[in-house]
Amino acid sequence: MSGFDKVVHSYEEAMAGLTDNMTIIAGGFGLCGIPENLISEIKHKGTRGLTLVSNNCGVDDFGLGLLLPDRQISKIIASYVGENAEFERQMMSGELSVELTPQGTLAEKMRAGGAGIPAFYTATGVGTPVAEGKDERQFNGRDYILEEAIVGDFAIVKAWKADRYGNLVFRKTARNFNPMAATAGKITVVEVEEIVEPGQLDPDEIHTPGIYVNRLIQSSFEKRIEQRTTRAAGE
Amino acid sequence: MALSREQIAQRVAQELQDGFYVNLGIGIPTLVANFIPKDIEVMLQSENGLLGMGAFPTEDEVDADLINAGKQTVTMAAGASIFDSAESFAMIRGGHVDLTVLGAFEVDVNGNIASYMIPGKLIKGMGGAMDLVAGADNIIVTMTHASKHGESKLLSNCTLPLTGKGCIKKVLTDLAFIEIKAGKFHLLERAPGVSVAEIIELTQGELVIEGDIPEMKFS
């Protein structure tokens, strides 16, 4: 099968073409819904000088944190990066450049990038360090700043299910940034838990249409939990 | 007596109204969920993409794909919905959330808030806080009135990098409930047993006191 069939059979094939100094947009929130095997493949490949666009940067030994020990990331654009000792060390020493970006602005930068919108105005960040050097303009008496869209050389995405054509369904809050990331990659690579035949997903239930997806691979996932918080049964 | 963390949450919960969509920040704001009055319905928004957040799961219910904005495992309440991050912040930026409760390091008389960065010490990032303070009309900031060393957090001018400008109108501390209007703090209520003089002492920005200031009531 070819044509719209996006399935690849190895991680090497999934990340083929990734070279030093590229920009990668990654889905995920904390460790939830991260493309964990694609990240491992980037570590394995040893690609360096990368700009990563992701809400967070994983923890020391899982997720995007895996790319830190070999200094593969030179810049990260993220909203919250607090869970990672090696990250803090590299940031403080200047080895890693960090562009802190409000979470909603980050989501919108990806969405706009994927939708061919080069920039947008938002009230988020007005009067704060985020506004420095950005155009400001008033609409209806309120101040807004101009934020530019982001497009990645690659986007790496984790979905729950897909059909061979790359139509995607996400599961619960593992959706988060993944649908926007999927639209904003020049090459979008998606890893999923299950691949079905075209026609087996209800078109009304597809979250991301396959037009955004270039490569698709099935795998298994550790799905590590960052903050396991429970209540006693019956409470 | 200064309020405990639970009492601060309990007082905030009195501001909830039936049918409110509410976003609770990390820390004391999260505790507000434990004090939602039984006779009203409130839906909790978690900015990672969940409206209708439920209780923490039992050990059997834990699902790695279902977390809140604090990265804790959670459950979904009946009537919950799931959406992506852009949709989540469209709700927040579009002003659709009725009440936002979040913590801060400092607030000033002009409604400025600093809550995300202490240069040289704490540089973890703003997460969704800048979007929340810019997008919501109705915000309650919860924090201690002063630092452990007795330095006021209610200032004439914030000293730390801002999270938002001119966006805070209500602050609930362990000592007082304060409204911000026309460039001044206004004392609305005091914690039980805390005197107006103590509050004045620990408030660096201009504080207006009008008439008798009632004590907060806890049922």
Side-chain angles (χ1 to χ4, degrees), chain B residues 105-114 143 153-160 162 164-169 171 178-181 183-185 204-206:
Chain B
F105 302 137
E106 297 173 346
V107 170
D108 73 26
V109 293
N110 294 311
N112 298 328
I113 174 173
M143 61 181 191
K153 297 181 180 180
L154 291 134
L155 307 174
S156 48
N157 277 301
C158 287
T159 61
L160 296 167
L162 297 184
K165 193 179 163 188
C167 49
I168 305 302
K169 295 183 193 121
V171 184
I178 282 169
E179 188 178 10
I180 301 172
K181 50 182 185 188
K184 288 169 188 168
F185 294 126
Q204 188 259 321
E206 185 175 352

Side-chain angles (χ1 to χ4, degrees), chain B:
Chain B
M1 271 286 285
L3 301 181
S4 66
R5 290 161 55 88
E6 283 72 20
Q7 284 173 312
I8 294 175
Q10 207 176 342
R11 178 62 193 85
V12 170
Q14 294 172 16
E15 301 296 303
L16 298 172
Q17 291 178 27
D18 198 16
F20 260 19
Y21 295 101
V22 179
N23 183 292
L24 301 176
I26 293 162
I28 294 173
T30 304
L31 301 175
V32 174
N34 300 333
F35 298 101
I36 298 169
K38 295 276 181 269
D39 56 341
I40 67 169
E41 285 192 307
V42 165
M43 207 175 269
L44 300 178
Q45 203 259 15
S46 188
E47 65 265 26
N48 56 318
L50 169 60
L51 186 61
M53 181 165 52
F56 293 124
T58 61
E59 200 57 48
D60 292 345
E61 290 169 337
V62 167
D63 183 341
D65 288 339
L66 187 56
I67 63 167
N68 66 17
K71 286 131 190 168
Q72 296 169 306
T73 44
V74 289
T75 59
M76 294 184 280
S81 55
I82 296 273
F83 34 84
D84 64 48
S85 300
E87 179 84 51
S88 182
F89 282 93
M91 281 171 208
I92 290 165
R93 294 169 173 222
H96 303 279
V97 175
D98 297 299
L99 174 66
T100 288
V101 185
L102 79 173
F105 302 137
E106 297 173 346
V107 170
D108 73 26
V109 293
N110 294 311
N112 298 328
I113 174 173
S115 68
Y116 85 102
M117 185 196 268
I118 302 173
K121 279 189 191 164
L122 179 79
I123 315 176
K124 292 187 171 188
M126 67 292 282
M130 282 193 183
D131 303 282
L132 283 159
V133 297
D137 215 26
N138 190 10
I139 303 168
I140 300 176
V141 169
T142 61
M143 61 181 191
T144 54
H145 207 96
S147 73
K148 283 173 192 145
H149 312 293
E151 291 155 337
S152 180
K153 297 181 180 180
L154 291 134
L155 307 174
S156 48
N157 277 301
C158 287
T159 61
L160 296 167
L162 297 184
T163 308
K165 193 179 163 188
C167 49
I168 305 302
K169 295 183 193 121
K170 285 176 184 168
V171 184
L172 182 69
T173 73
D174 53 342
L175 304 182
F177 193 21
I178 282 169
E179 188 178 10
I180 301 172
K181 50 182 185 188
K184 288 169 188 168
F185 294 126
H186 293 255
L187 185 58
L188 300 180
E189 297 175 18
R190 59 202 166 84
V194 171
S195 71
V196 170
E198 284 172 81
I199 295 165
I200 292 171
E201 173 71 28
L202 290 170
T203 307
Q204 188 259 321
E206 185 175 352
L207 179 65
V208 177
I209 318 251
E210 279 171 346
D212 285 338
I213 305 299
E215 284 191 351
M216 293 175 201
K217 289 191 175 59
F218 296 94
S219 49

Side-chain angles (χ1 to χ4, degrees), chain A residues 72-194:
Chain A
Q72 291 177 264
I73 306 175
S74 63
K75 179 179 178 182
I76 180 148
I77 301 173
S79 87
Y80 190 81
V81 291
E83 319 293 349
N84 195 318
E86 175 61 15
F87 185 96
E88 202 160 319
R89 193 198 63 74
Q90 290 189 16
M91 177 171 71
M92 291 301 193
S93 70
E95 295 161 55
L96 176 63
S97 146
V98 181
E99 190 175 313
L100 290 175
T101 302
Q103 199 174 133
T105 296
L106 187 63
E108 197 65 14
K109 278 170 174 271
M110 293 183 196
R111 197 194 71 79
I117 296 166
F120 57 91
Y121 282 99
T122 178
T124 300
V126 169
T128 77
V130 166
E132 282 167 20
K134 289 174 185 160
D135 284 344
E136 288 199 32
R137 188 170 157 185
Q138 276 202 349
F139 296 92
N140 302 316
R142 192 169 180 199
D143 293 330
Y144 294 83
I145 56 174
L146 187 65
E147 292 279 7
E148 290 184 20
I150 298 179
V151 173
D153 296 299
F154 274 77
I156 55 174
V157 168
K158 158 71 174 54
W160 179 35
K161 285 197 286 195
D163 66 20
R164 287 180 163 275
Y165 289 178
N167 292 307
L168 308 179
V169 179
F170 301 93
R171 185 172 177 276
K172 299 186 178 171
T173 57
R175 192 183 318 183
N176 57 63
F177 282 84
N178 280 297
M180 282 78 65
T183 66
K186 290 178 193 160
I187 298 174
T188 292
V189 188
V190 183
E191 57 177 354
V192 296
E193 296 170 45
E194 187 185 356

